[in-house]
Amino acid sequence: MANRGIKICLVVSSLFLIIVAIVTVALFLTIFKPKNPGIFLHPVNLDDFELLSSSSAAISPLNVMITIVNPNYGNFKYKNSTGYINYNGSIIAEVPIVTSSVPARSIANVSASAGFMTQKLSADNNFLEDIEDGAFNLTANATLPGKVSMLKIFKLKAKVYISCDIVFNITSVEVDSTCISKIKL
Ligand SMILES: *[C@@H]1O[C@H](CO)[C@@H](O)[C@H](O)[C@H]1NC(C)=O
Ligand SMILES: *[C@@H]1O[C@H](CO)[C@@H](O)[C@H](O)[C@H]1NC(C)=O
Ligand SMILES: *[C@@H]1O[C@H](CO)[C@@H](O)[C@H](O)[C@H]1NC(C)=O
Ligand SMILES: *[C@@H]1O[C@H](CO)[C@@H](O)[C@H](O)[C@H]1NC(C)=O
Ligand SMILES: *[C@@H]1O[C@H](CO)[C@@H](O)[C@H](O)[C@H]1NC(C)=O
Ligand SMILES: *[C@@H]1O[C@H](CO)[C@@H](O)[C@H](O)[C@H]1NC(C)=O
């Protein structure tokens, strides 16, 4: 008798848990449908940045602050990854991005350092022409693989794809960028 009672109790409570889990995930995927994070780039030490380094140093660092706006009801945790900055289709800087997390509905500033391969730029005639015109365009992209979690219980694998258009104005020493992102679960 007692055994049977326990069995029924177990079946009922596991059914209940399964239903709660399904409803929560369904809510998460519909009402709380994942929204794309907002991404903003701000160069930090632009005045110290040596674009065409006269020294033989092959890499010129530029610190960038990456602001990530997470509009979702889930925490986003991403792993170490690498972003790329391209000039006219070829990679001219790598940006290591260190693992971190952005809490639900909040904003995080992530600092990173872009290592510009200045020799590659100095050797590009298109680039030298652009410099004479006072501005040049760059694109940047990165993929952040990670997890979205709610209440530390529900975890879904997610990837955030980021791509940015950057206008580097040499005359005014200013950088303008617009980024778009896409989250995929
Ligand atoms: C992530 O990068 C940091 C800094 O480079 C390093 O210390 C850490 O070990 C890396 N973590 C993993 C999991 O690779
Ligand atoms: C992130 O950086 C921006 C610009 O530097 C600053 O205005 C903002 O308060 C910072 N936000 C957080 C959460 O640190
Ligand atoms: C990119 O490179 C191609 C091939 O070298 C060249 O024709 C084109 O003008 C370049 N574009 C820019 C914006 O420099
Ligand atoms: C940079 O991009 C803008 C539009 O995004 C374009 O109007 C401009 O001609 C580009 N400049 C160069 C040097 O390619
Ligand atoms: C960046 O964009 C290029 C071309 O679209 C693509 O091949 C590459 O995989 C992207 N890299 C990342 C890290 O997203
Ligand atoms: C760069 O800045 C100068 C001075 O502010 C401005 O006159 C020029 O139009 C800017 N160039 C671009 C491509 O935005």
Side-chain angles (χ1 to χ4, degrees):
M1 270 309 263
N3 254 347
R4 205 174 145 181
I6 289 171
K7 264 188 201 158
I8 291 173
C9 182
L10 273 180
V11 167
V12 169
S13 44
S14 18
L15 269 180
F16 179 72
L17 278 181
I18 290 170
I19 290 169
V20 168
I22 290 173
V23 167
T24 310
V25 171
L27 270 181
F28 180 60
L29 292 177
T30 54
I31 299 176
F32 299 148
K33 189 177 190 300
K35 298 186 186 78
N36 297 325
I39 308 285
F40 304 90
L41 299 182
H42 322 272
V44 179
N45 59 338
L46 206 50
D47 291 330
D48 304 332
F49 180 52
E50 288 187 51
L51 190 56
L52 293 175
S53 181
S54 49
S55 76
S56 57
I59 302 287
S60 184
L62 174 66
N63 294 332
V64 278
M65 180 74 91
I66 308 168
T67 301
I68 305 176
V69 181
N70 181 4
N72 294 298
Y73 292 91
N75 174 75
F76 178 61
K77 183 164 195 258
Y78 57 87
K79 299 187 213 153
N80 277 359
S81 62
T82 308
Y84 300 93
I85 298 177
N86 317 288
Y87 174 73
N88 199 10
S90 65
I91 296 173
I92 51 121
E94 289 192 359
V95 193
I97 300 169
V98 179
T99 180
S100 181
S101 68
V102 192
R105 301 181 65 76
S106 71
I107 299 171
N109 282 335
V110 177
S111 59
S113 177
F116 278 82
M117 303 169 219
T118 48
Q119 285 172 344
K120 220 164 157 180
L121 283 173
S122 329
D124 189 333
N125 281 329
N126 295 311
F127 185 68
L128 299 177
E129 276 172 33
D130 277 359
I131 284 189
E132 282 176 25
D133 296 340
F136 61 95
N137 289 342
L138 299 170
T139 59
N141 69 344
T143 303
L144 302 180
K147 273 186 194 134
V148 173
S149 60
M150 273 181 98
L151 308 170
K152 299 198 173 167
I153 305 169
F154 302 104
K155 292 187 178 160
L156 290 172
K157 274 195 177 177
K159 266 189 185 170
V160 172
Y161 298 90
I162 300 168
S163 71
C164 303
D165 285 320
I166 302 167
V167 182
F168 201 124
N169 190 328
I170 301 165
T171 319
S172 61
V173 197
E174 270 177 350
V175 171
D176 264 330
S177 59
T178 35
C179 297
I180 53 170
S181 76
K182 199 156 196 71
I183 187 165
K184 283 204 177 135
L185 294 181

